[in-house]
mmCIF file of all heavy atoms in Angstrom:
data_model
loop_
_atom_site.group_PDB
_atom_site.id
_atom_site.type_symbol
_atom_site.label_atom_id
_atom_site.label_comp_id
_atom_site.label_asym_id
_atom_site.label_seq_id
_atom_site.Cartn_x
_atom_site.Cartn_y
_atom_site.Cartn_z
ATOM 1 N N LYS A 396 28.509 -7.727 40.824
ATOM 2 C CA LYS A 396 29.892 -8.001 40.507
ATOM 3 C C LYS A 396 30.319 -7.169 39.296
ATOM 4 O O LYS A 396 31.471 -6.891 39.078
ATOM 5 C CB LYS A 396 30.127 -9.504 40.175
ATOM 6 C CG LYS A 396 30.183 -10.331 41.386
ATOM 7 C CD LYS A 396 30.418 -11.799 41.053
ATOM 8 C CE LYS A 396 30.013 -12.735 42.183
ATOM 9 N NZ LYS A 396 29.806 -14.097 41.667
ATOM 10 N N LEU A 397 29.333 -6.863 38.446
ATOM 11 C CA LEU A 397 29.652 -6.055 37.215
ATOM 12 C C LEU A 397 29.578 -4.564 37.550
ATOM 13 O O LEU A 397 29.626 -3.710 36.673
ATOM 14 C CB LEU A 397 28.605 -6.380 36.141
ATOM 15 C CG LEU A 397 28.659 -7.810 35.546
ATOM 16 C CD1 LEU A 397 27.487 -8.199 34.744
ATOM 17 C CD2 LEU A 397 29.968 -8.028 34.708
ATOM 18 N N GLY A 398 29.456 -4.227 38.799
ATOM 19 C CA GLY A 398 29.521 -2.793 39.299
ATOM 20 C C GLY A 398 28.178 -2.046 39.286
ATOM 21 O O GLY A 398 28.188 -0.843 39.352
ATOM 22 N N ILE A 399 27.117 -2.791 39.298
ATOM 23 C CA ILE A 399 25.798 -2.183 39.279
ATOM 24 C C ILE A 399 25.198 -2.058 40.691
ATOM 25 O O ILE A 399 25.262 -3.004 41.481
ATOM 26 C CB ILE A 399 24.787 -2.967 38.312
ATOM 27 C CG1 ILE A 399 25.355 -2.964 36.909
ATOM 28 C CG2 ILE A 399 23.422 -2.380 38.351
ATOM 29 C CD1 ILE A 399 25.727 -1.670 36.316
ATOM 30 N N SER A 400 24.637 -0.884 41.017
ATOM 31 C CA SER A 400 23.987 -0.671 42.314
ATOM 32 C C SER A 400 22.702 -1.504 42.420
ATOM 33 O O SER A 400 21.849 -1.423 41.521
ATOM 34 C CB SER A 400 23.689 0.828 42.555
ATOM 35 O OG SER A 400 24.797 1.569 42.450
ATOM 36 N N ILE A 401 22.585 -2.252 43.494
ATOM 37 C CA ILE A 401 21.324 -3.019 43.728
ATOM 38 C C ILE A 401 20.608 -2.408 44.917
ATOM 39 O O ILE A 401 21.112 -2.322 45.978
ATOM 40 C CB ILE A 401 21.662 -4.517 44.085
ATOM 41 C CG1 ILE A 401 22.712 -5.119 43.017
ATOM 42 C CG2 ILE A 401 20.391 -5.345 44.155
ATOM 43 C CD1 ILE A 401 22.213 -5.302 41.666
ATOM 44 N N ILE A 402 19.344 -2.056 44.646
ATOM 45 C CA ILE A 402 18.468 -1.680 45.730
ATOM 46 C C ILE A 402 17.460 -2.770 45.938
ATOM 47 O O ILE A 402 16.721 -3.136 45.079
ATOM 48 C CB ILE A 402 17.715 -0.303 45.370
ATOM 49 C CG1 ILE A 402 18.717 0.849 45.308
ATOM 50 C CG2 ILE A 402 16.638 -0.013 46.419
ATOM 51 C CD1 ILE A 402 19.503 0.991 44.097
ATOM 52 N N ASP A 403 17.606 -3.392 47.129
ATOM 53 C CA ASP A 403 16.843 -4.644 47.416
ATOM 54 C C ASP A 403 15.642 -4.353 48.308
ATOM 55 O O ASP A 403 15.820 -3.843 49.398
ATOM 56 C CB ASP A 403 17.818 -5.599 48.106
ATOM 57 C CG ASP A 403 17.250 -7.002 48.205
ATOM 58 O OD1 ASP A 403 16.023 -7.127 48.396
ATOM 59 O OD2 ASP A 403 18.008 -7.981 48.108
ATOM 60 N N ALA A 404 14.478 -4.602 47.759
ATOM 61 C CA ALA A 404 13.242 -4.333 48.520
ATOM 62 C C ALA A 404 13.170 -5.165 49.816
ATOM 63 O O ALA A 404 12.597 -4.810 50.776
ATOM 64 C CB ALA A 404 12.028 -4.616 47.603
ATOM 65 N N ASP A 405 13.812 -6.411 49.757
ATOM 66 C CA ASP A 405 13.782 -7.263 50.967
ATOM 67 C C ASP A 405 14.587 -6.611 52.118
ATOM 68 O O ASP A 405 14.223 -6.635 53.273
ATOM 69 C CB ASP A 405 14.388 -8.640 50.642
ATOM 70 C CG ASP A 405 13.309 -9.569 50.093
ATOM 71 O OD1 ASP A 405 12.144 -9.280 50.188
ATOM 72 O OD2 ASP A 405 13.731 -10.608 49.558
ATOM 73 N N ILE A 406 15.730 -5.918 51.723
ATOM 74 C CA ILE A 406 16.506 -5.299 52.732
ATOM 75 C C ILE A 406 15.725 -4.065 53.228
ATOM 76 O O ILE A 406 15.686 -3.808 54.480
ATOM 77 C CB ILE A 406 17.910 -4.869 52.173
ATOM 78 C CG1 ILE A 406 18.714 -6.154 51.883
ATOM 79 C CG2 ILE A 406 18.635 -3.923 53.090
ATOM 80 C CD1 ILE A 406 19.991 -5.918 51.125
ATOM 81 N N ALA A 407 15.054 -3.359 52.342
ATOM 82 C CA ALA A 407 14.197 -2.217 52.751
ATOM 83 C C ALA A 407 13.082 -2.694 53.696
ATOM 84 O O ALA A 407 12.883 -2.038 54.729
ATOM 85 C CB ALA A 407 13.613 -1.528 51.564
ATOM 86 N N ALA A 408 12.518 -3.884 53.406
ATOM 87 C CA ALA A 408 11.489 -4.423 54.243
ATOM 88 C C ALA A 408 11.966 -4.835 55.609
ATOM 89 O O ALA A 408 11.274 -4.638 56.642
ATOM 90 C CB ALA A 408 10.854 -5.612 53.565
ATOM 91 N N ARG A 409 13.200 -5.310 55.689
ATOM 92 C CA ARG A 409 13.775 -5.642 56.976
ATOM 93 C C ARG A 409 14.103 -4.391 57.780
ATOM 94 O O ARG A 409 13.984 -4.340 59.002
ATOM 95 C CB ARG A 409 15.078 -6.500 56.801
ATOM 96 C CG ARG A 409 14.756 -7.958 56.554
ATOM 97 C CD ARG A 409 16.005 -8.851 56.732
ATOM 98 N NE ARG A 409 16.959 -8.724 55.634
ATOM 99 C CZ ARG A 409 16.843 -9.482 54.545
ATOM 100 N NH1 ARG A 409 15.895 -10.342 54.362
ATOM 101 N NH2 ARG A 409 17.776 -9.372 53.620
ATOM 102 N N THR A 410 14.593 -3.315 57.080
ATOM 103 C CA THR A 410 14.917 -2.081 57.725
ATOM 104 C C THR A 410 13.712 -1.414 58.442
ATOM 105 O O THR A 410 13.838 -0.973 59.566
ATOM 106 C CB THR A 410 15.499 -1.069 56.704
ATOM 107 O OG1 THR A 410 16.624 -1.708 56.040
ATOM 108 C CG2 THR A 410 15.983 0.211 57.357
ATOM 109 N N VAL A 411 12.556 -1.432 57.765
ATOM 110 C CA VAL A 411 11.380 -0.728 58.337
ATOM 111 C C VAL A 411 10.833 -1.498 59.549
ATOM 112 O O VAL A 411 10.072 -0.899 60.381
ATOM 113 C CB VAL A 411 10.265 -0.482 57.307
ATOM 114 C CG1 VAL A 411 10.808 0.340 56.124
ATOM 115 C CG2 VAL A 411 9.614 -1.713 56.831
ATOM 116 N N VAL A 412 11.182 -2.720 59.720
ATOM 117 C CA VAL A 412 10.653 -3.446 60.932
ATOM 118 C C VAL A 412 11.698 -3.780 61.964
ATOM 119 O O VAL A 412 11.614 -4.672 62.780
ATOM 120 C CB VAL A 412 9.962 -4.800 60.475
ATOM 121 C CG1 VAL A 412 8.696 -4.537 59.733
ATOM 122 C CG2 VAL A 412 10.845 -5.753 59.766
#
Side-chain angles (χ1 to χ4, degrees):
K396 282 181 198 161
L397 294 166
I399 300 307
S400 300
I401 311 293
I402 290 80
D403 190 326
D405 275 346
I406 292 171
R409 278 196 284 274
T410 305
V411 303
V412 294

